[in-house]
């Protein structure tokens, strides 16, 4: 780990290179400017860790300034193989499982001065590449297919696929956790504890965009009590064509993951998002195009399978016991031909599918649909992102108000 040095965003930002156990590098960015603080609030002293999306990196300086004015310590993480962490010869964005980012997050939290967080739910960590990308129905069909092998008389039964066995064990363990939670609730033993009270540390808020939102949601589920709240900016919680579409495509991606994991899939990004966001076209933002290409990085079967695995886990229910805010545009524009409608919509995700899937994150989910918002709501036109900032700040201030939580936690109607 090197020392902090001035970041590419200028003197108001510093970056720190993080050496990961795998030999990869990640980069942590922090705000050190002097943006005028706003009135004191319950947010003061909290830590926020931001994680970007696919084919992206942190450059939204306005986001850091907003949180600084609220008294929050702002940090952003460029994951390994992204943005500031890219090095010659690396395949941008490549992972085989979203759990590979656990090392990045752990290193970032340590650099932020936070204690080490241990994984409490290893069964939510996913399974090896090539399995678990679809629904429970896929797991059952795979098991039935395996049971038919060697069924003819005199034919020795083939050994069970260890990857399939790994998925089945994870699925059964997930079912056991659900049943255990249900019995606890029936017995009156269910109790939501306050993470910040348990840790004794500054409240930690996880803020993720797109794939980063999916990654942080899964991480929070595996590390209960580590975060006080999760804020998701257009998280990639579901496939663009819905869960049915994911279940249909997943087996094809799994097959390619086994035999041609690094051969890029056909490009499908028409460049509409760049056209809407970049100052070179019709947007308001300047950024490094090598770190955020006009049509995105090449997508490999291995990476897409990792995303499908994560989405399938969300579909089974994450049971997050902390407040979650999901911010989304009010509409999508997923057409193959450019239209001015793309300047007032999410051109990446099916926002209605994501909105429905967000309910599987936990019991305390707030959905904020933002009229005319972009895929990254904080890159939307000025008036729209002002609404997004105000809504996010108002929500988080209430979520971190410990006095209010204590006041209402044990409330019961008068007898």
């Amino acid at each position: 780990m090197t020392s902090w040095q001035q970041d590419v965003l200028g003197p108001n930002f510093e970056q720190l290179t993080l050496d990961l156990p795998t030999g990869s590098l990640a980069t942590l960015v922090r705000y050190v400017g002097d943006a005028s603080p706003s009135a004191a609030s319950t947010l003061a002293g909290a830590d926020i860790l931001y994680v970007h999306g696919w084919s992206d990196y942190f450059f939204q300086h306005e986001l850091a300034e907003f949180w600084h004015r609220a008294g929050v310590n702002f940090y952003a993480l460029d994951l390994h193989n992204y943005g500031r962490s890219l090095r010659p010869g690396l395949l941008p964005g490549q992972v085989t499982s979203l759990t590979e980012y656990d090392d990045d997050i752990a290193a970032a939290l340590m650099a932020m001065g936070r204690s080490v967080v241990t994984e409490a739910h290893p069964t939510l960590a996913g399974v090896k590449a090539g399995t678990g990308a679809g629904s429970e129905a896929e797991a059952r069909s795979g098991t039935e297919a395996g049971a038919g092998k060697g069924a003819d008389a005199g034919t020795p039964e083939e050994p069970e696929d260890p990857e399939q066995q790994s998925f089945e064990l994870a699925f059964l363990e997930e079912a056991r956790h659900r049943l255990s939670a249900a019995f606890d609730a029936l017995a009156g033993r269910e109790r939501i504890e306050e993470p910040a009270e348990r840790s004794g540390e500054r409240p930690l808020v996880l803020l993720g965009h797109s794939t980063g939102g999916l990654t942080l949601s899964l991480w929070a589920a595996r590390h209960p009590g580590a975060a006080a709240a999760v804020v998701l900016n257009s998280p990639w919680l579901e496939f663009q064509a819905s869960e049915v579409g994911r279940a249909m495509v997943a087996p094809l991606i799994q097959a390619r993951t086994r035999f041609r994991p690094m051969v890029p899939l056909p490009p499908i990004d028409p460049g509409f998002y760049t056209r809407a966001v970049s100052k070179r076209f019709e947007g308001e933002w300047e950024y490094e195009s090598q770190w955020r290409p006009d049509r995105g990085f090449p997508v490999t079967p291995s990476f897409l399978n990792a995303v499908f695995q994560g989405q399938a886990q969300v579909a089974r229910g994450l049971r997050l016991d902390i407040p979650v805010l999901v911010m989304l545009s009010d509409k999508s524009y997923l057409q193959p031909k450019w239209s001015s409608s793309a300047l007032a919509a999410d051109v990446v995700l099916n926002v209605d599918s994501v909105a429905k899937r967000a309910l599987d994150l936990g019991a305390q989910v707030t959905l904020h649909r933002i009229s005319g918002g972009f895929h990254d709501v904080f890159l939307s036109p000025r008036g729209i992102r002002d609404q997004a900032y105000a809504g996010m700040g108002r929500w988080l201030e209430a979520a971190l108000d410990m006095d209010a939580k204590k006041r209402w936690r044990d409330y019961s109607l008068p007898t």
Side-chain angles (χ1 to χ4, degrees), residues 234 328-329 331-334 344-349 351 373-375:
S234 302
L328 289 168
S329 178
K331 53 186 170 295
S332 297
Y333 183 83
L334 302 176
D346 189 321
V347 299
V348 178
L349 299 181
V351 291
F374 286 177
H375 175 52

Side-chain angles (χ1 to χ4, degrees), residues 13-228:
F13 293 86
E14 292 181 340
Q15 65 168 264
L16 178 69
T17 300
L18 306 175
D19 298 310
L20 305 181
T22 58
S24 299
L25 301 175
T27 310
L28 188 64
V29 180
R30 68 181 179 186
Y31 181 80
V32 294
D34 56 358
S36 301
S38 56
S41 72
T42 58
L43 301 178
D47 289 340
I48 282 191
L49 179 62
Y50 171 84
V51 174
H52 57 81
W54 164 252
S55 199
D56 206 354
Y57 74 104
F58 171 70
F59 65 92
Q60 297 88 335
H61 59 86
E62 193 179 80
L63 181 64
E65 293 161 358
F66 168 82
W67 287 121
H68 175 79
R69 291 190 183 98
V72 174
N73 307 305
F74 179 85
Y75 297 86
L77 180 60
D78 275 13
L79 300 167
H80 68 271
N81 296 354
Y82 282 99
R84 299 164 178 81
S85 308
L86 264 177
R87 298 294 186 272
L90 294 177
L91 188 60
Q94 176 54 36
V95 289
T96 59
S97 170
L98 297 181
T99 60
E100 292 180 29
Y101 295 130
D102 283 13
D103 289 338
D104 305 53
I105 296 170
L109 294 177
M110 185 175 298
M112 291 164 60
R114 304 190 64 90
S115 59
V116 176
V117 180
T118 57
E119 186 173 314
H121 292 328
T123 55
L124 290 174
V127 292
K128 298 179 182 178
T131 63
S135 63
E136 290 88 344
E138 294 169 43
R140 289 194 296 271
S141 64
T143 305
E144 292 163 4
K149 294 179 181 179
D152 295 336
T155 303
E157 185 175 346
E158 295 181 11
E160 185 175 2
D161 184 348
E163 293 183 342
Q164 178 66 31
Q165 186 179 36
S166 175
F167 174 74
E168 291 171 2
L169 289 173
F171 180 77
L172 291 172
E173 183 65 14
E174 172 74 6
R176 187 185 68 79
H177 276 297
R178 289 195 179 199
L179 287 172
S180 177
F183 283 124
D184 284 347
L186 289 171
R189 292 194 297 265
E190 185 178 45
R191 180 175 183 270
I192 299 176
E193 299 181 39
E194 303 300 336
E197 290 181 335
R198 287 202 305 269
S199 67
E201 291 186 307
R202 303 178 304 275
L204 172 66
V205 178
L206 302 175
L207 171 55
H209 169 57
S210 198
T211 314
L214 173 62
T215 299
L216 289 179
S217 298
L218 296 167
W219 186 90
R222 296 193 305 273
H223 301 82

